[in-house]
Amino acid sequence: MKKVDTGNMLITLTRSAVMLSLLMVIQYFRLPQLFTGTMVNALLLTSLIVINPYGALMIAFISPWLAFMFGILPQPLLPLIPFIMLGNSLYVLIFWLFFKKNNKPLSVISGIALASILKFLTLSSAVRIIGNLAPKIAQMMIFPQLITAVCGGMLFLLLLSKLVLISKK
């Protein structure tokens, strides 16, 4: 029988709880989309490093539900939640593929760019698929998503240098 490393599991669980708590705090304040979206996207990528890809995916799945519960995501966008989960997951996984293969600056920046574009395409396609959304509501899920994904990636890069320094101590 394989021995389970409970110490490592406890660390992973604790880190997941901290990242989920940060996600809740970010969304609780209901700040403008540019700020909240940027912070959430940075948190998704940071979760890859702090927890692992599975933990980051968990955060990616929970994020739109919290946004809905806190009223950030308006009621008419409820049908888009599965697409937001998919967009967040693509953002995390595409970036992770680039980062784990070669975490040199060009690869990391390319990962952020491609992940951001795929998230944007997923969400803008979802708006078309769902249809009949008020234009102002639909607009929230199109271009601002690209901006917040790129800005979140850039914020993550700033955090990454600090995370590397902390982990070396």
Side-chain angles (χ1 to χ4, degrees):
M1 188 151 107
K2 187 176 177 183
K3 186 177 178 182
V4 176
D5 184 1
T6 55
N8 197 25
M9 285 176 52
L10 185 58
I11 289 169
T12 300
L13 183 60
T14 303
R15 289 177 177 180
S16 298
V18 168
M19 296 307 280
L20 189 56
S21 297
L22 287 172
L23 175 68
M24 291 175 76
V25 168
I26 290 166
Q27 293 188 345
Y28 175 79
F29 288 107
R30 299 182 56 167
L31 295 170
Q33 183 180 9
L34 181 61
F35 180 82
T36 301
T38 296
M39 295 295 288
V40 168
N41 284 313
L43 187 116
L44 290 174
L45 298 183
T46 304
S47 295
L48 280 166
I49 307 305
V50 172
I51 311 168
N52 58 37
Y54 303 111
L57 285 173
M58 176 196 67
I59 303 292
F61 290 149
I62 293 171
S63 176
W65 290 106
L66 287 176
F68 182 72
M69 287 179 6
F70 286 130
I72 295 169
L73 197 65
Q75 180 76 29
L77 292 179
L78 181 62
L80 287 177
I81 286 180
F83 296 100
I84 297 168
M85 292 167 67
L86 176 62
N88 285 348
S89 300
L90 286 171
Y91 185 69
V92 165
L93 293 174
I94 296 301
F95 175 78
W96 181 246
L97 290 174
F98 278 79
F99 185 81
K100 77 172 187 166
K101 181 179 179 185
N102 176 2
N103 64 2
K104 299 211 183 307
L106 183 59
S107 181
V108 171
I109 291 169
S110 298
I112 289 169
L114 183 59
S116 298
I117 290 167
L118 287 175
K119 180 176 182 173
F120 161 74
L121 291 174
T122 300
L123 295 174
S124 60
S125 297
V127 167
R128 286 188 202 90
I129 290 168
I130 299 296
N132 73 352
L133 293 170
K136 188 174 181 180
I137 299 286
Q139 188 59 37
M140 287 176 60
M141 300 309 295
I142 302 176
F143 191 64
Q145 296 297 323
L146 179 61
I147 301 296
T148 59
V150 170
C151 290
M154 296 300 118
L155 179 58
F156 164 76
L157 290 179
L158 293 172
L159 292 172
L160 182 61
S161 62
K162 303 299 180 205
L163 287 172
V164 169
L165 289 175
I166 291 168
S167 67
K168 288 183 178 180
K169 288 184 178 181

